[in-house]
Amino acid sequence: MQPDPRTNLSNQLADTLINRSVAPDEKREVTITFRASYAEKARLEQRCSGVVQSDYIRARLFDYPLPHPKLVIPEINRQAIYELKKVGNNLNQQTRAINEAVKIGSQPLSNEVKSYLKTLEELTALLEQTRQSLTQVSVER
């Protein structure tokens, strides 16, 4: 009697998963080194395209999914993002202070205060958009 093709395929898949020698979530304690030519090293670097080399090699060797490339944010953008966050924090503190003053009655909610709060909200949104655009850089190739 011939085994069912589905059962056969299911058994092959189970065998493949059982025989996988390294699980992706195991603790990695062993360092492996090997020699390569300059051409091989260049080819490996090209294929990694933003992925850590050990992750790339591990994925190819053990049939893990390839990791996502890391984003490379230029130093100038990192500094700008840091400054934008500081400005944004200051705007949020001002907004909270005004809202609290209005809530406890020490500051009337006049049209001028409403306009100022709206301006603060617009500035905060603009800062967030700018920060987002600075973090959307191309992947290192």
Side-chain angles (χ1 to χ4, degrees):
M1 181 173 194
Q2 195 76 346
D4 180 30
R6 284 190 210 167
T7 305
N8 193 19
L9 183 60
S10 178
N11 290 340
Q12 286 177 349
L13 180 59
D15 288 344
T16 301
L17 292 174
I18 289 170
N19 292 329
R20 194 178 229 184
S21 59
V22 178
D25 56 349
E26 285 184 16
K27 186 174 181 182
R28 295 183 174 108
E29 300 174 312
V30 179
T31 301
I32 299 173
T33 58
F34 65 96
R35 294 190 178 272
S37 69
Y38 287 108
E40 289 170 332
K41 183 175 182 343
R43 188 173 170 196
L44 176 62
E45 288 171 352
Q46 180 185 16
R47 286 193 175 183
C48 288
S49 63
V51 175
V52 176
Q53 284 185 6
S54 59
D55 292 341
Y56 176 83
I57 292 169
R58 201 175 293 113
R60 300 301 271 170
L61 183 62
F62 299 117
D63 297 322
Y64 298 155
L66 284 173
H68 296 288
K70 61 184 176 187
L71 290 178
V72 178
I73 300 175
E75 179 61 29
I76 189 74
N77 286 15
R78 278 188 259 143
Q79 290 172 356
I81 291 167
Y82 175 75
E83 294 299 325
L84 289 172
K85 284 182 180 182
K86 285 180 15 181
V87 172
N89 286 338
N90 288 339
L91 291 175
N92 286 333
Q93 289 171 358
Q94 289 178 20
T95 304
R96 269 186 255 132
I98 292 170
N99 285 328
E100 188 62 30
V102 168
K103 186 194 280 185
I104 63 173
S106 66
Q107 170 73 49
L109 187 57
S110 64
N111 286 337
E112 188 177 85
V113 172
K114 286 180 185 178
S115 174
Y116 185 69
L117 285 171
K118 185 174 187 214
T119 302
L120 288 176
E121 289 172 6
E122 290 170 356
L123 285 172
T124 303
L126 183 61
L127 284 171
E128 179 59 25
Q129 286 176 346
T130 305
R131 188 186 67 76
Q132 289 286 334
S133 69
L134 288 173
T135 56
Q136 293 177 351
V137 296
S138 60
V139 176
E140 182 181 57
R141 299 253 171 205

